[in-house]
Structures are given as C-alpha cells and as structure tokens.
Amino acid sequence: MRLVVAGSPAAAVPTLDALAAGPHEIVRVITRPASPLGRKRVITPTPVAQAAERHGIPVVEAARLADVQAELLELEVDLGVIVAYGGLVRAPLLQWPRLGWINLHFSLLPAWRGAAPVQRAIMAGEERTGATVFQLTEGLDEGDLYARLEEPIGAHRTAGALLESLSTSGAALTARVVDELAAGTAVARPQEGDVTLAPKLVREDARIHWDSPVDAVHARVRGVTPEPGAFTTIIGSDAVLKVLEAAPAREAAPLAPGRLALLDGRPLVGTASQPLELLRVQPAGKPAMPAVDWARGLDAAALPELA
C-alpha cells in the first residue's frame, strides 16, 4: 500500500522505522516545523523529520495540515498513519486516504483520550496502561479499535521511560494492523468502558503538593518527568527546586507536609503520609545533581520548608 505517516516527537520514530522496513511505500512524512532547541536555540527538525531523512522519504512540514492540504490531496494514498503529530486531521484530509487514517494512541482507550495519556495515567495512580491502534474520526480519540496491548506501569517508571517502551511495542502493533488492512483481514470494534480525558500538561501540573499522600506525590513526580518536570518552591526565598527523581521513604517517621529533614544525609520531605526521599534535584540556576549533594550545602540547623 501507499502510506502517509504523520508524527513529530521521538515516540513516533519507532513506528516510522517499522513501516519503512516493511513492504509498503511511504510516499510522504508529515511533521511539525523545525523549532529552536537548547540554550543556543538552534533550529532543529523534529525527530520524525530526522528519521524520514535517514530513510530517504520526502517530508512535509506543517503546523496545521490545512496549510498543506492542496499539496497532499494531489497524492494517491491508501492509508494514513498518525502518531503524536500534534495537530488535528479534518475533512477533506480525513477522508483523503482510501482507507482513512489509523492512530497509535498510548493508552487503553477509551481511557485517557487526549494529548498526555501516559502522563495522566501515571499521575492518577493507574497500575496498567497500554497502546491502542484505532480508526481516526472527527471526535477526540473516539474511533473503532483495531488492536491493543497492555503493559504494567510499575512503581518507579517515569512517563518518559514508559512512553519509550510503549512507542517500541506500539510500533510493532501498528505495523501489524497496516499489514492486516492491506490483506483485508483487519477487524475494528467499538470502544467500550468509561471515558477519561488526558489534556495536555501545563507547568502548574508539575507543581508538587506536599499535602497529598506520598504515593500521589511520587506519582505526580514520575508523571511529569521529563516534561514539564516536577518542581517545588523553597519557603522564604521562593526559589524553585526541580525534583528529577524521588522515592517513598516508607521506613522513615512521618513529617509535616513540606517539612525537610535529613536522615543519614538523605533529604526527606514530609507528605500527608510517609516522607518522600529526594534522589536527584536541580536547584535554581544550577545543574542537576544528586539530592544528597544539594542537602550537604544546607544549614542542618535551619533546614528550609518546601511548598
């Protein structure tokens, strides 16, 4: 079949790689425009654009598909495959491929429809998540399902680590569905179950609420890692402290929410239940460091409180 693939971040690259290695022809890759990255703000193509270049596939950069609609409609395409493109597909492009579009979504639909399914599932304390390939429709992640896989979230994985794992297993799932659609054997079924929504994360989602139980605090830290990155503020200075890695300290005595204490040099912060141990942090204006190194520079007699 003749395919068009739309995607932008690193999580979409394994699907592009899997399809490029298969029997089908990818006639175009659609991705977001190059953008400035890093401290030097170097204009950098998306990971998907870079992967397409490696495969020798023509790339169309567009912030909105409507901006390149005329160019795309001139192509004859059997199927569109979309993975985290970052934009909506609307008519007439929705009906443009002969078989429409399929979407790889990183959740067990209808759970966590939206832009941040992995992050929201972790933050909600879910024990399992997965990946789903479904028929794209005008509604938000509402189409019929072709295939799905499940994966345990685990007690310590971050959103970044879980998304990396699901992007690999989801790529194989997507390639299988594409082959089944080509062979005419694919079967879609309606979504069943309760709908939950996963809106895009904003910075305030990453603020740590120390008056929550430790498992909820830990889940928030993991759910917003690496982006936008968990943070707290130091009372009295309002300096921001980024929390890059942490773990419940179940053996430690309870502390008041936000209260900082040292246990054998290890920094612990109180929550509504057990304390949370800070493992890796980034103080304002400084590089990331082990939390014990950060704590070593504090006045043990007057430890700050966090909010």
Side-chain angles (χ1 to χ4, degrees), residues 134-154:
F134 69 97
Q135 187 76 35
L136 195 66
T137 63
E138 291 186 357
L140 177 64
D141 302 332
E142 294 179 357
D144 291 349
L145 311 181
Y146 283 109
R148 71 191 302 182
L149 59 86
E150 293 191 22
E151 185 169 325
I153 290 176

Side-chain angles (χ1 to χ4, degrees), residues 136-278:
L136 195 66
T137 63
E138 291 186 357
L140 177 64
D141 302 332
E142 294 179 357
D144 291 349
L145 311 181
Y146 283 109
R148 71 191 302 182
L149 59 86
E150 293 191 22
E151 185 169 325
I153 290 176
H156 300 286
R157 279 204 289 184
T158 64
L162 182 55
L163 186 57
E164 182 178 359
S165 175
L166 289 172
S167 67
T168 299
S169 55
L173 189 74
T174 304
R176 190 190 84 198
V177 171
V178 171
D179 289 344
E180 291 173 351
L181 285 166
T185 60
V187 177
R189 56 183 175 80
Q191 296 186 26
E192 298 179 352
D194 296 332
V195 174
T196 49
L197 299 180
K200 181 179 178 180
L201 295 181
V202 297
R203 185 175 185 273
E204 196 59 27
D205 288 316
R207 181 183 294 276
I208 298 173
H209 299 280
W210 297 109
D211 55 356
S212 299
V214 68
D215 286 337
V217 175
H218 189 217
R220 181 175 295 272
V221 171
R222 293 185 296 118
V224 299
T225 300
E227 294 293 340
F231 72 95
T232 185
T233 54
I234 299 175
I235 294 177
S237 69
D238 290 330
V240 171
L241 178 70
K242 293 183 179 180
V243 178
L244 308 180
E245 186 179 355
R250 303 195 189 280
E251 81 288 359
L255 295 167
R259 173 78 179 274
L260 181 65
L262 300 181
L263 179 62
D264 298 327
R266 298 153 49 205
L268 309 182
V269 186
T271 73
S273 56
Q274 295 95 357
L276 185 78
E277 179 179 355
L278 305 183

Side-chain angles (χ1 to χ4, degrees), residues 45-70:
T46 68
V48 165
Q50 296 175 52
E53 183 177 0
R54 291 196 299 270
H55 292 297
I57 303 170
V59 173
V60 175
E61 292 189 347
R64 300 186 314 143
L65 287 180
D67 296 338
V68 292
Q69 176 175 300

